[in-house]
Amino acid sequence: EGLRGEEGLDSFRYDEEYDEKEEEWKNIRAEILGEDSDDDSESGSGSGSDSESESEDEEEAPGQEQEKDKKTVVIQDLTETDLVHLRRTIYLTIMSSATFEECTHKLARMDIPDGRESELINMIIECCSQERTFLRYYGLVSGRFCLLADRWQDAFEEAFAMQYNTIHRLETNKLRNVAKLFGHLLHTDSISWSVLSCIHLNEDETTSSSRIFIKILVQEMAEAMGMVTLKQRFDTDNPDPDGAIGEDAKAAAAAAQPHGQPPQEE
């Protein structure tokens, strides 16, 4: 009952200002879309012209195309929709895989572009830190990626330094899982031991969180390698896993001793 029918809209009414309004709408459209408003006006006014006007339009066409190219607006997507979709896909793949071989195979088939390695590495670390206890599943996935290509190994080595510098932001449980993850990568030689160069054991450059991180890291490596082997690896200056270990380390230590002094026994 409260509705009012506008019956006047059903009938045609002549608009005396039709040409002016159309020209105004053309200018607005050209401003929004980046088009040349003169193109439409010239095409409309030149429809009834003779052959001379057509030749003039052909001469002016290259200049109009250049002006149109200058007014073309390039739209850049700053919402990072593709990045969000990539992260979601990585997370769902990690959490839905039954074995680490299946997870590695699915993630490797995603063809993650160069420069986006950190997205995969950070997602693996984040998923690992969210678990109640450390799952060897994440260590095996990470180790397998380090064997696939050098770019993944380099990305994990960069992630180690970044995680160590920001370890104070993590809770105790997350800190423990992250430390055990990198401990697994180190004792399996998936990443180079040269990443430990960012650790400076002194009071000024360490915090309580970083010291706990180092403690759990070394404990994880000692449980897997054994204390003797771990000590031999730390005694060598070569971070390469194929470097001097065992007898070679002893021979190198003996050669470094001054003449006349017996080598120190462990």
Side-chain angles (χ1 to χ4, degrees):
E1 296 179 355
L3 298 178
R4 297 181 180 179
E6 297 182 2
E7 298 178 356
L9 298 178
D10 297 336
S11 59
F12 174 78
R13 290 178 298 175
Y14 178 75
D15 188 4
E16 297 180 354
E17 300 178 354
Y18 175 79
D19 295 335
E20 290 79 1
K21 292 181 179 180
E22 284 296 313
E23 185 67 23
E24 183 179 356
W25 280 112
K26 288 179 181 179
N27 294 333
I28 294 174
R29 185 185 67 179
E31 183 179 355
I32 295 175
L33 301 179
E35 297 178 351
D36 190 358
S37 61
D38 297 338
D39 293 344
D40 297 336
S41 61
E42 289 179 0
S43 61
S45 60
S47 58
S49 60
D50 54 2
S51 60
E52 294 180 357
S53 62
E54 292 178 357
S55 61
E56 292 177 357
D57 293 340
E58 292 178 356
E59 294 177 357
E60 295 178 356
Q64 294 174 359
E65 291 179 357
Q66 294 178 359
E67 293 178 359
K68 185 183 293 185
D69 295 338
K70 293 180 180 179
K71 294 182 179 180
T72 302
V73 178
V74 179
I75 300 175
Q76 296 180 354
D77 185 12
L78 300 179
T79 60
E80 296 184 347
T81 305
D82 296 338
L83 183 59
V84 174
H85 177 69
L86 176 63
R87 292 174 179 172
R88 184 186 298 111
T89 305
I90 294 174
Y91 173 78
L92 295 176
T93 303
I94 294 174
M95 303 306 295
S96 62
S97 299
T99 61
F100 78 94
E101 291 96 342
E102 177 186 354
C103 178
T104 307
H105 178 69
K106 290 181 178 179
L107 293 175
R109 291 185 59 186
M110 291 176 58
D111 294 332
I112 299 177
D114 295 338
R116 293 294 186 183
E117 294 87 358
S118 60
E119 300 299 333
L120 174 62
I121 308 306
N122 293 335
M123 187 58 66
I124 294 176
I125 297 174
E126 182 66 23
C127 292
C128 178
S129 65
Q130 295 294 335
E131 299 291 344
R132 292 185 177 179
T133 59
F134 173 69
L135 298 180
R136 193 164 174 262
Y137 166 81
Y138 296 102
L140 295 174
V141 172
S142 303
R144 186 60 58 90
F145 266 101
C146 291
L147 297 176
L148 288 178
D150 292 338
R151 65 170 184 150
W152 299 115
Q153 183 178 359
D154 296 339
F156 271 106
E157 293 176 356
E158 294 176 359
F160 178 86
M162 183 182 67
Q163 290 293 328
Y164 177 75
N165 292 328
T166 59
I167 200 65
H168 58 277
R169 303 178 184 176
L170 299 182
E171 302 173 358
T172 305
N173 187 62
K174 293 182 178 180
L175 185 150
R176 181 182 297 106
N177 291 341
V178 173
K180 289 189 175 183
L181 173 63
F182 283 107
H184 175 88
L185 294 179
L186 286 171
H187 78 72
T188 57
D189 293 323
S190 298
I191 59 177
S192 175
W193 285 41
S194 61
V195 296
L196 300 176
S197 61
C198 66
I199 299 177
H200 300 157
L201 291 178
N202 56 69
E203 185 178 357
D204 297 332
E205 299 184 55
T206 57
T207 61
S208 59
S209 298
S210 62
R211 288 191 285 270
I212 294 173
F213 175 83
I214 297 171
K215 172 187 173 182
I216 300 174
L217 178 73
V218 176
Q219 284 180 346
E220 179 70 16
M221 298 166 61
E223 291 177 1
M225 302 175 60
M227 188 62 68
V228 177
T229 306
L230 180 61
K231 184 178 184 303
Q232 292 175 355
R233 286 295 299 272
F234 277 131
D235 289 340
T236 61
D237 295 331
N238 186 6
D240 189 359
D242 296 330
I245 301 177
E247 297 298 331
D248 295 337
K250 294 180 180 179
Q257 292 291 332
H259 295 290
Q261 295 184 6
Q264 298 179 357
E265 296 181 358
E266 298 180 357

